[in-house]
């Protein structure tokens, strides 16, 4: 009997060979927003993994929207050209569908790269800049206060998402995911802990959802029907009086009504006071709640690295896809090993077919490169 993990599935207009999604993972290896040779190696190896979808890391729609000075952007011709070079190289050897995650870090921008501490960098630092957010509240009390976006600022951010989406379409990407999770700008609008506005973009749930939904509508309006548009959300802030799963469900319904093709349910990242009960599958209940409320595909993520665990989430109907991030960095052949475990078949490049272990004679799909 074929496993659920290795059955094909649809995400809007695109068909994925299986239910394994490579989640976006920041590499902090760009130069002035432009991809480098590191991205070619990183994405290239993941594109040979046999997964159903590869997602490019969080890509800033404005220079000010980068998490760090070393983040990838898609806000200039130079950024677009650099990404095109990487994609052309990857596609030469893999036909795996490729998505991109577009985002804006808001008040969590202007930080040091993780391996140097991730500290907030002030405006007068060589690699720092003035951040922007729904309200003039830093992520940490010690952070420089961001500039609260006025009506013109909101329009600039919305237009930047639209411009980056048009660039994504020109690059021939199969799907666009808007980053509305992990405490970044769109999530900052959603959560009452970071949104203290007293205009039509703050206060009630309807008002707090207004700007993220405006961004989604603007993007969906310029992206052709053959390109999927999805969203990544934090199902909860894991903090009292913050964003929670009930509000996430309402947000998901509103997005689906506007043509969203899939929703990737993560959590946290909004406040340093969060208390997360980390453990295998700790975010699956959030995905389950969203799946019960919408018809669009739901992606579960978060310490689902065991093959049987991944399969069980799908069989239980808690999600339609399983996303892997750190597990793929540690083991870029995770889909191969999962397929071997279940006796399924997986795509591999012709150059690697000889690596098929004798005990897994039917592992590789020999028709892959016909």
């Amino acid at each position: 009997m074929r496993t659920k993990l290795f059955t094909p599935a649809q995400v809007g207009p695109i068909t994925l060979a299986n239910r394994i999604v490579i989640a976006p993972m920041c590499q902090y290896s760009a130069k002035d927003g432009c991809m480098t040779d590191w991205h070619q190696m990183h994405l290239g190896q993941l594109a040979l993994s046999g997964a159903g979808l590869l997602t490019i890391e969080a890509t800033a729609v404005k220079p000010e929207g980068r998490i760090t000075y070393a983040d990838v952007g898609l806000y200039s011709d130079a950024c677009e050209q650099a990404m095109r070079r990487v994609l052309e190289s990857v596609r030469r050897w893999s036909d795996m569908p490729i998505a991109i995650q577009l985002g804006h870090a808001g008040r969590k921008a202007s930080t040091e790269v993780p391996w140097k501490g991730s500290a907030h960098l002030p405006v007068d630092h060589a690699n720092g800049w003035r951040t922007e957010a729904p309200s003039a509240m830093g992520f940490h009390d010690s952070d420089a206060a961001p500039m609260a976006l006025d009506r013109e600022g909101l329009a600039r951010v919305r237009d930047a998402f639209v411009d980056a989406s048009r660039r994504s379409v020109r690059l021939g990407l199969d799907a666009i995911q808007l980053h509305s999770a992990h405490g970044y700008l769109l999530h900052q609008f959603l959560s009452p802990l970071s949104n203290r506005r007293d205009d039509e973009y703050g206060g009630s749930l309807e008002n707090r959802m207004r700007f993220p939904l405006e961004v989604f509508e603007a993007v969906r309006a310029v992206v052709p029907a053959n390109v999927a548009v999805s969203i990544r959300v934090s199902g909860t802030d894991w903090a009292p009086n913050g964003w929670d799963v009930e509000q996430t469900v309402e947000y998901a319904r509103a997005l689906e009504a506007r043509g969203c093709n899939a929703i990737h349910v993560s959590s946290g990242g909004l406040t340093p006071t969060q208390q997360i009960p980390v453990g295998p599958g700790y975010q699956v209940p959030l995905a389950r709640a969203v799946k019960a409320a919408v018809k669009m595909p739901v992606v579960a993520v978060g310490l689902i690295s065991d093959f049987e665990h991944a399969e069980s989430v799908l069989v239980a109907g808690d999600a339609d896809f399983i996303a892997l991030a750190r597990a793929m960095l540690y083991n870029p052949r995770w889909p191969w090993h999962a397929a071997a475990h279940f006796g399924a078949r997986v795509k591999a490049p012709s150059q690697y077919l000889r690596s098929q272990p004798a005990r897994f004679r039917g592992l590789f799909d020999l028709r892959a490169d016909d």
Side-chain angles (χ1 to χ4, degrees):
M1 183 176 178
R2 198 173 192 184
T3 61
K4 189 85 170 176
L5 194 62
F6 286 94
T7 56
Q10 202 74 16
V11 177
I14 63 174
T15 301
L16 306 187
N18 57 55
R19 310 297 182 106
I20 303 168
V21 172
I22 301 175
M25 294 172 278
C26 289
Q27 297 298 292
Y28 309 104
S29 299
K31 177 69 174 175
D32 296 326
C34 295
M35 282 187 167
T36 63
D37 289 348
W38 174 260
H39 297 94
Q40 183 172 323
M41 294 195 302
H42 167 67
L43 295 173
Q45 67 169 339
L46 295 178
L48 301 179
S49 69
L53 179 71
L54 169 61
T55 313
I56 294 170
E57 66 193 82
T59 300
V61 300
K62 294 179 65 184
E64 300 83 2
R66 292 173 297 165
I67 305 166
T68 77
Y69 54 88
D71 277 21
V72 172
L74 194 52
Y75 46 74
S76 69
D77 291 345
C79 290
E80 183 177 343
Q81 289 162 8
M83 189 173 291
R84 185 180 301 281
R85 285 193 295 271
V86 170
L87 288 172
E88 286 176 348
S89 177
V90 171
R91 287 186 176 125
R92 195 169 296 126
W93 302 106
S94 171
D95 63 0
M96 183 184 293
I98 302 177
I100 188 170
Q101 184 186 68
L102 298 179
H104 186 304
R107 70 180 188 174
K108 291 180 74 176
S110 187
T111 61
E112 185 55 270
V113 297
W115 50 85
K116 293 184 179 179
S118 298
H120 175 72
L121 302 179
V123 179
D124 58 0
H125 190 281
N127 291 317
W129 58 85
R130 178 76 183 275
T131 60
E132 49 192 18
S135 304
M137 301 164 52
F139 180 71
H140 294 101
D141 292 340
S142 59
D143 292 349
M147 176 183 65
L149 288 161
D150 58 16
R151 194 169 297 275
E152 291 182 356
L154 293 176
R156 285 194 296 271
V157 171
R158 181 200 64 218
D159 293 348
F161 271 96
V162 169
D163 181 61
S165 297
R166 287 193 171 111
R167 292 181 185 277
S168 300
V169 171
R170 285 203 296 266
L171 288 167
L173 290 161
D174 299 282
I176 295 169
Q177 181 186 92
L178 300 186
H179 201 353
S180 182
H182 298 167
Y184 298 125
L185 184 68
L186 299 185
H187 184 184
Q188 290 162 29
F189 273 90
L190 295 171
S191 177
L193 298 179
S194 50
N195 184 344
R196 302 294 176 83
R197 299 173 74 98
D198 57 8
D199 62 3
E200 67 268 38
Y201 293 100
S204 68
L205 175 59
E206 179 183 7
N207 283 359
R208 284 181 279 115
M209 293 195 305
R210 191 182 307 278
F211 183 64
L213 291 176
E214 286 180 356
V215 169
F216 182 87
E217 289 176 335
V219 168
R220 182 72 273 187
V222 301
V223 173
N226 66 326
V227 177
V229 180
S230 69
I231 197 89
R232 192 173 199 185
V233 300
S234 277
T236 176
D237 288 340
W238 300 112
N241 304 312
W243 182 253
D244 56 28
V245 69
E246 290 79 17
Q247 295 174 88
T248 300
V249 165
E250 292 305 311
Y251 184 43
R253 286 173 172 151
L255 287 159
E256 184 172 52
R258 288 162 172 78
C260 190
N261 294 125
I263 183 166
H264 184 150
V265 184
S266 188
S267 71
L270 190 283
T271 171
T273 65
Q274 64 188 13
Q275 296 292 320
I276 305 179
V278 176
Y282 70 102
Q283 294 173 156
V284 171
L286 303 172
R288 181 188 306 131
V290 172
K291 184 161 173 56
V294 298
K295 292 187 171 103
M296 63 181 164
V298 174
V299 183
V301 68
L303 295 183
I304 309 174
S305 57
D306 178 80
F307 307 142
E308 294 285 353
H309 185 196
E311 176 72 4
S312 70
V313 171
L314 299 176
V315 171
D318 293 335
D320 301 285
F321 295 89
I322 301 298
L324 297 124
R326 292 175 178 87
M328 288 296 297
L329 293 183
Y330 186 74
N331 179 10
R333 298 291 181 265
W334 192 97
W336 289 16
H337 299 154
H341 175 80
F342 288 117
R345 296 175 72 84
V346 69
K347 188 168 184 177
S350 298
Q351 295 90 334
Y352 288 178
L353 293 179
R354 287 180 296 168
S355 72
Q356 179 174 267
R359 66 187 183 279
F360 300 126
R361 285 294 182 191
L363 175 60
F364 291 151
D365 186 351
L366 300 182
R367 299 165 299 173
D369 293 326
D370 287 353

